[in-house]
Protein backbone atom coordinates (compact mmCIF):
# COMPACT_ATOMS: atom_id res chain seq x y z
CA UNK A 1 0.00 0.00 0.00
CA UNK A 2 3.06 2.28 0.11
CA UNK A 3 6.55 2.44 -1.38
CA UNK A 4 9.43 0.57 0.21
CA UNK A 5 13.11 0.18 -0.62
CA UNK A 6 12.62 -3.59 -1.02
CA UNK A 7 13.79 -4.79 -4.47
CA UNK A 8 11.19 -7.57 -4.75
CA UNK A 9 8.34 -5.11 -4.19
CA UNK A 10 9.79 -2.68 -6.72
CA UNK A 11 10.49 -5.21 -9.45
CA UNK A 12 7.13 -6.95 -9.11
CA UNK A 13 5.13 -3.73 -9.25
CA UNK A 14 3.59 -4.28 -5.84
CA UNK A 15 3.84 -0.63 -4.73
CA UNK A 16 0.53 1.23 -4.85
CA UNK A 17 1.24 4.42 -2.84
CA UNK A 18 -2.22 4.48 -1.27
CA UNK A 19 -1.05 6.30 1.84
CA UNK A 20 1.98 7.77 3.55
CA UNK A 21 2.80 5.37 6.40
CA UNK A 22 4.82 7.88 8.39
CA UNK A 23 1.98 10.41 8.47
CA UNK A 24 -0.68 7.77 9.15
CA UNK A 25 1.30 6.18 11.97
CA UNK A 26 1.93 9.55 13.58
CA UNK A 27 -1.77 10.45 13.49
CA UNK A 28 -2.80 7.01 14.76
CA UNK A 29 -0.35 7.05 17.65
CA UNK A 30 -1.33 10.61 18.58
CA UNK A 31 -4.91 9.31 18.83
CA UNK A 32 -3.80 6.53 21.15
CA UNK A 33 -4.30 3.74 18.60
CA UNK A 34 -2.38 0.48 18.41
CA UNK A 35 -1.47 -0.17 14.78
CA UNK A 36 -1.26 -3.64 13.27
CA UNK A 37 0.39 -4.13 9.90
CA UNK A 38 -1.23 -7.12 8.15
CA UNK A 39 0.89 -8.90 5.56
CA UNK A 40 -0.71 -11.34 3.10
CA UNK A 41 2.15 -13.79 3.14
CA UNK A 42 2.18 -16.66 0.65
CA UNK A 43 -0.79 -15.71 -1.53
CA UNK A 44 0.91 -13.12 -3.72
CA UNK A 45 -0.37 -11.83 -7.04
CA UNK A 46 2.82 -9.90 -7.80
CA UNK A 47 6.15 -11.39 -6.72
CA UNK A 48 5.79 -14.89 -8.28
CA UNK A 49 5.55 -13.48 -11.82
CA UNK A 50 8.83 -11.59 -11.37
CA UNK A 51 10.52 -14.28 -9.27
CA UNK A 52 9.12 -17.60 -10.54
CA UNK A 53 11.81 -19.65 -8.83
CA UNK A 54 10.14 -18.94 -5.48
CA UNK A 55 6.58 -19.67 -6.66
CA UNK A 56 4.25 -22.66 -6.63
CA UNK A 57 4.20 -24.13 -10.14
CA UNK A 58 1.69 -26.21 -12.07
CA UNK A 59 2.44 -29.65 -13.45
CA UNK A 60 2.12 -28.35 -16.98
CA UNK A 61 4.73 -25.69 -16.37
CA UNK A 62 4.19 -22.06 -15.48
CA UNK A 63 2.80 -20.61 -12.32
CA UNK A 64 0.00 -22.30 -10.39
CA UNK A 65 -3.04 -20.12 -9.61
CA UNK A 66 -5.92 -20.59 -7.21
CA UNK A 67 -9.62 -20.34 -8.04
CA UNK A 68 -9.38 -16.54 -8.05
CA UNK A 69 -6.48 -16.60 -10.51
CA UNK A 70 -3.94 -15.52 -7.90
CA UNK A 71 -0.40 -16.90 -7.78
CA UNK A 72 1.28 -18.21 -4.63
CA UNK A 73 4.79 -18.07 -3.25
CA UNK A 74 6.09 -21.51 -2.33
CA UNK A 75 6.26 -21.97 1.46
CA UNK A 76 8.56 -24.98 1.05
CA UNK A 77 11.18 -22.79 -0.62
CA UNK A 78 12.87 -20.76 2.12
CA UNK A 79 13.98 -18.22 -0.48
CA UNK A 80 10.34 -17.10 -0.59
CA UNK A 81 10.41 -16.34 3.15
CA UNK A 82 12.80 -13.43 2.79
CA UNK A 83 10.37 -11.07 1.06
CA UNK A 84 7.59 -11.07 3.69
CA UNK A 85 10.17 -10.86 6.46
CA UNK A 86 11.78 -7.88 4.69
CA UNK A 87 8.38 -6.21 4.43
CA UNK A 88 7.71 -6.88 8.09
CA UNK A 89 11.12 -5.52 9.10
CA UNK A 90 10.55 -2.33 7.14
CA UNK A 91 7.10 -1.90 8.70
CA UNK A 92 8.58 -2.42 12.17
CA UNK A 93 11.22 0.21 11.50
CA UNK A 94 8.52 2.65 10.38
CA UNK A 95 6.80 2.23 13.74
CA UNK A 96 4.00 -0.31 13.32
CA UNK A 97 3.23 -1.82 16.73
CA UNK A 98 2.50 -5.33 15.50
CA UNK A 99 2.95 -7.41 12.37
CA UNK A 100 0.20 -9.89 11.56
CA UNK A 101 1.04 -12.56 8.99
CA UNK A 102 -2.11 -13.62 7.12
CA UNK A 103 -2.39 -16.34 4.46
CA UNK A 104 0.46 -17.97 6.35
CA UNK A 105 -0.45 -21.44 5.15
CA UNK A 106 -0.65 -23.70 2.12
CA UNK A 107 -3.32 -22.99 -0.54
CA UNK A 108 -6.84 -24.18 0.22
CA UNK A 109 -8.65 -23.49 -3.04
CA UNK A 110 -7.74 -24.32 -6.61
CA UNK A 111 -6.55 -27.56 -8.19
CA UNK A 112 -4.45 -29.04 -5.39
CA UNK A 113 -3.38 -31.99 -7.55
CA UNK A 114 -1.77 -29.56 -10.01
CA UNK A 115 0.47 -27.87 -7.44
CA UNK A 116 4.22 -28.44 -7.71
CA UNK A 117 6.34 -27.45 -4.70
CA UNK A 118 10.07 -26.91 -4.40
CA UNK A 119 10.22 -29.51 -1.61
CA UNK A 120 7.03 -31.61 -1.86
CA UNK A 121 8.09 -33.96 0.91
CA UNK A 122 8.55 -31.23 3.49
CA UNK A 123 6.19 -31.51 6.47
CA UNK A 124 3.56 -28.80 6.19
CA UNK A 125 3.18 -28.12 9.89
CA UNK A 126 6.92 -27.80 10.38
CA UNK A 127 7.22 -25.55 7.31
CA UNK A 128 4.74 -22.90 8.48
CA UNK A 129 5.92 -23.16 12.09
CA UNK A 130 9.53 -22.68 11.01
CA UNK A 131 8.64 -19.63 8.93
CA UNK A 132 6.83 -17.96 11.81
CA UNK A 133 9.62 -18.79 14.25
CA UNK A 134 12.18 -17.27 11.90
CA UNK A 135 10.01 -14.18 11.41
CA UNK A 136 9.54 -13.75 15.15
CA UNK A 137 13.27 -14.13 15.80
CA UNK A 138 13.99 -11.43 13.21
CA UNK A 139 11.30 -8.99 14.30
CA UNK A 140 11.06 -9.12 18.07
CA UNK A 141 14.50 -7.52 18.63
CA UNK A 142 13.05 -4.49 16.80
CA UNK A 143 10.44 -4.09 19.52
CA UNK A 144 7.46 -5.10 17.38
CA UNK A 145 4.89 -7.73 18.32
CA UNK A 146 4.41 -10.69 15.97
CA UNK A 147 1.15 -12.48 15.26
CA UNK A 148 -0.66 -14.63 12.70
CA UNK A 149 -4.20 -14.99 11.41
CA UNK A 150 -5.39 -18.59 11.20
CA UNK A 151 -8.46 -20.54 10.21
CA UNK A 152 -11.05 -20.90 12.95
CA UNK A 153 -10.86 -24.70 12.84
CA UNK A 154 -7.06 -24.87 13.01
CA UNK A 155 -7.27 -25.66 16.74
CA UNK A 156 -10.09 -28.17 16.34
CA UNK A 157 -8.44 -30.55 13.87
CA UNK A 158 -5.68 -30.99 11.31
CA UNK A 159 -6.62 -28.99 8.21
CA UNK A 160 -3.53 -30.06 6.28
CA UNK A 161 -2.44 -26.48 5.57
CA UNK A 162 0.39 -26.13 8.06
CA UNK A 163 -1.41 -24.22 10.80
CA UNK A 164 -0.62 -25.78 14.19
CA UNK A 165 -1.31 -23.22 16.93
CA UNK A 166 0.07 -25.41 19.70
CA UNK A 167 3.53 -25.34 18.12
CA UNK A 168 3.54 -21.55 18.25
CA UNK A 169 2.09 -20.87 21.69
CA UNK A 170 5.41 -19.54 22.99
CA UNK A 171 6.57 -17.97 19.71
CA UNK A 172 3.81 -15.60 18.66
CA UNK A 173 2.57 -12.71 20.77
CA UNK A 174 -0.95 -13.21 19.46
CA UNK A 175 -2.96 -15.43 17.17
CA UNK A 176 -6.12 -14.33 15.37
CA UNK A 177 -8.45 -17.26 14.65
CA UNK A 178 -11.12 -16.43 12.08
CA UNK A 179 -14.09 -17.82 14.00
CA UNK A 180 -16.79 -16.33 11.77
CA UNK A 181 -19.92 -18.34 12.68
CA UNK A 182 -21.18 -18.42 9.08
CA UNK A 183 -18.01 -20.24 8.00
CA UNK A 184 -18.67 -23.33 10.11
CA UNK A 185 -20.69 -26.22 8.67
CA UNK A 186 -24.03 -27.27 10.09
CA UNK A 187 -23.51 -29.52 13.10
CA UNK A 188 -20.02 -28.22 13.92
CA UNK A 189 -19.45 -28.25 17.71
CA UNK A 190 -22.84 -29.97 17.98
CA UNK A 191 -24.57 -26.75 16.90
CA UNK A 192 -27.19 -27.29 14.20
CA UNK A 193 -26.78 -23.87 12.55
CA UNK A 194 -23.54 -22.17 13.66
CA UNK A 195 -24.16 -19.12 11.50
CA UNK A 196 -27.48 -18.54 13.22
CA UNK A 197 -25.99 -19.14 16.68
CA UNK A 198 -23.07 -16.69 16.90
CA UNK A 199 -22.38 -16.62 20.65
CA UNK A 200 -22.22 -20.37 21.35
CA UNK A 201 -20.30 -20.96 18.13
CA UNK A 202 -17.56 -18.46 18.99
CA UNK A 203 -17.36 -19.82 22.54
CA UNK A 204 -17.00 -23.41 21.30
CA UNK A 205 -14.34 -22.53 18.77
CA UNK A 206 -12.31 -20.51 21.27
CA UNK A 207 -12.51 -23.36 23.77
CA UNK A 208 -10.46 -25.46 21.34
CA UNK A 209 -8.00 -22.60 20.91
CA UNK A 210 -7.50 -22.29 24.65
CA UNK A 211 -6.92 -26.03 24.89
CA UNK A 212 -4.33 -26.07 22.09
CA UNK A 213 -2.38 -23.10 23.41
CA UNK A 214 -2.67 -23.94 27.11
CA UNK A 215 0.54 -23.19 29.00
CA UNK A 216 1.80 -20.78 26.36
CA UNK A 217 2.25 -17.03 26.36
CA UNK A 218 0.35 -16.32 23.13
CA UNK A 219 -2.82 -14.24 23.36
CA UNK A 220 -5.93 -15.41 21.50
CA UNK A 221 -7.68 -12.53 19.76
CA UNK A 222 -10.43 -13.77 17.43
CA UNK A 223 -11.64 -12.22 14.22
CA UNK A 224 -15.41 -11.81 14.67
CA UNK A 225 -18.11 -11.55 12.03
CA UNK A 226 -19.68 -8.17 11.24
CA UNK A 227 -21.25 -9.14 7.91
CA UNK A 228 -24.14 -11.28 6.70
CA UNK A 229 -23.46 -14.46 4.74
CA UNK A 230 -26.47 -16.74 4.39
CA UNK A 231 -28.77 -17.49 7.30
CA UNK A 232 -29.85 -14.70 9.59
CA UNK A 233 -28.96 -11.06 9.05
CA UNK A 234 -26.13 -9.84 11.27
CA UNK A 235 -26.66 -6.67 13.24
CA UNK A 236 -25.78 -5.36 16.67
CA UNK A 237 -27.26 -8.32 18.66
CA UNK A 238 -25.27 -10.89 16.66
CA UNK A 239 -22.03 -8.89 16.83
CA UNK A 240 -22.49 -8.29 20.55
CA UNK A 241 -23.10 -12.00 21.16
CA UNK A 242 -19.71 -12.77 19.66
CA UNK A 243 -17.95 -10.04 21.61
CA UNK A 244 -19.52 -11.27 24.85
CA UNK A 245 -18.46 -14.84 24.05
CA UNK A 246 -14.89 -13.75 23.35
CA UNK A 247 -14.75 -11.75 26.58
CA UNK A 248 -16.20 -14.62 28.63
CA UNK A 249 -13.69 -17.11 27.28
CA UNK A 250 -10.73 -14.93 28.21
CA UNK A 251 -9.73 -13.64 24.79
CA UNK A 252 -6.98 -11.05 24.84
CA UNK A 253 -8.96 -8.80 22.54
CA UNK A 254 -10.86 -9.23 19.28
CA UNK A 255 -11.19 -7.77 15.80
CA UNK A 256 -14.25 -7.25 13.63
CA UNK A 257 -14.19 -8.15 9.95
CA UNK A 258 -16.26 -6.64 7.18
CA UNK A 259 -14.82 -6.71 3.68
CA UNK A 260 -16.39 -3.33 2.86
CA UNK A 261 -15.16 -1.75 6.11
CA UNK A 262 -18.76 -0.96 7.04
CA UNK A 263 -19.20 -1.77 10.72
CA UNK A 264 -22.29 -2.03 12.90
CA UNK A 265 -23.04 1.22 14.75
CA UNK A 266 -22.71 0.74 18.49
CA UNK A 267 -20.57 -2.38 18.28
CA UNK A 268 -17.81 -0.79 20.37
CA UNK A 269 -20.10 0.88 22.91
CA UNK A 270 -19.38 -0.25 26.44
CA UNK A 271 -16.04 -1.85 25.58
CA UNK A 272 -12.68 -0.65 26.78
CA UNK A 273 -12.11 0.79 23.30
CA UNK A 274 -14.95 3.29 23.58
CA UNK A 275 -13.74 6.88 23.93
Amino acid sequence: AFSTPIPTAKKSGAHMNIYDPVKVLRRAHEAGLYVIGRIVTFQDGYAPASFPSTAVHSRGGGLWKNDLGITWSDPTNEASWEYPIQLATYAAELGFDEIMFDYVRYPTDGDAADMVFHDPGRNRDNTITSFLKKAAASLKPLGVHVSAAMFGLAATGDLGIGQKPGQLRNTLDAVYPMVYPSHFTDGQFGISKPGDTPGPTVAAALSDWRRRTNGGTVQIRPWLQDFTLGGIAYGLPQVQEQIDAADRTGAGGWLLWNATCTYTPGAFAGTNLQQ
Side-chain angles (χ1 to χ4, degrees), residues 13-253:
H15 289 159
M16 291 187 181
N17 296 315
I18 296 171
Y19 68 91
D20 183 330
V22 175
K23 291 181 180 178
V24 170
L25 283 166
R26 182 174 64 249
R27 289 179 61 193
H29 287 148
E30 286 174 352
L33 297 175
Y34 179 82
V35 187
I36 302 172
R38 171 178 168 269
I39 295 178
V40 178
T41 310
F42 292 116
Q43 179 176 283
D44 190 327
Y46 295 90
S50 297
F51 300 90
S53 64
T54 62
V56 178
H57 287 76
S58 81
R59 294 189 180 279
L63 301 179
W64 181 86
K65 297 180 180 180
N66 66 8
D67 288 338
L68 296 176
I70 303 174
T71 52
W72 276 67
S73 293
D74 185 347
T76 73
N77 186 345
E78 294 192 19
S80 76
W81 299 5
E82 297 307 315
Y83 177 39
I85 292 176
Q86 288 171 355
L87 288 174
T89 300
Y90 184 68
E93 291 170 345
L94 285 175
F96 282 84
D97 301 297
E98 178 177 321
I99 301 299
M100 178 202 296
F101 292 100
D102 202 352
Y103 287 81
V104 60
R105 56 174 173 79
Y106 282 67
T108 57
D109 64 298
D111 186 355
D114 189 46
M115 293 188 296
V116 177
F117 294 101
H118 172 74
D119 185 358
R122 184 166 184 166
N123 180 275
R124 292 191 172 199
D125 297 339
N126 291 342
T127 297
I128 299 302
T129 296
S130 295
F131 166 76
L132 287 170
K133 286 187 173 182
K134 180 175 181 178
S138 300
L139 294 168
K140 286 189 177 183
L142 302 177
V144 68
H145 295 137
V146 183
S147 61
M150 294 189 179
F151 279 6
L153 281 172
T156 302
D158 185 1
L159 303 179
I161 58 174
Q163 293 185 342
K164 283 290 184 180
Q167 295 182 0
L168 296 159
R169 61 182 179 270
N170 290 310
T171 297
L172 298 175
D173 295 296
V175 65
Y176 295 86
M178 297 175 283
V179 294
Y180 312 127
S182 66
H183 284 39
F184 294 105
T185 58
D186 291 353
Q188 185 73 53
F189 308 120
I191 300 171
S192 60
K193 296 286 184 182
D196 295 349
T197 320
T201 299
V202 167
L206 294 182
S207 176
D208 286 341
W209 279 88
R210 289 199 314 276
R211 178 169 52 86
R212 291 292 184 189
T213 58
N214 185 43
T217 56
V218 65
Q219 286 195 32
I220 301 171
R221 302 175 187 157
W223 280 104
L224 304 178
Q225 177 174 337
D226 194 2
F227 58 88
T228 296
L229 180 64
I232 64 174
Y234 269 55
L236 184 57
Q238 291 72 31
V239 174
Q240 191 61 57
E241 267 195 54
Q242 298 173 82
I243 293 172
D244 290 345
D247 289 343
R248 284 198 316 272
T249 54

